[in-house]
Amino acid sequence: MLRNGLEPWHLLIVAIVVIMLFGSKRLPEAARGLGKSMRILKSEAKAMKDDDTAGPATAPTAGTRPAE
């Protein structure tokens, strides 16, 4: 039954159902929101990766106090 996985007509049926549920006016708005969320997620993941590589070398240790 699931031997062939997803075929193109499966995706077509899913697309038709999504259009019927949400309507054609709300789909572009949803796509913009999804794109914006993906850009934010990507930038945050990059920032976390950069913090991990530079963090331990520049982070103060527990016994030191910041300059006043």
Side-chain angles (χ1 to χ4, degrees):
M1 182 172 164
L2 292 175
R3 206 168 89 193
N4 293 333
L6 287 177
E7 294 183 14
W9 66 273
H10 290 124
L11 298 176
L12 180 65
I13 291 174
V14 169
I16 290 171
V17 169
V18 167
I19 290 172
M20 288 176 61
L21 285 175
F22 295 108
S24 60
K25 287 188 175 191
R26 292 185 61 193
L27 286 178
E29 180 182 320
R32 276 191 291 276
L34 181 64
K36 187 176 181 181
S37 298
M38 290 300 293
R39 281 191 299 272
I40 292 170
L41 178 66
K42 192 175 185 180
S43 67
E44 291 295 325
K46 185 176 185 245
M48 287 179 62
K49 185 178 179 183
D50 292 344
D51 287 346
D52 286 345
T53 57
T58 59
T61 58
T64 61
R65 300 180 87 181
E68 293 180 16

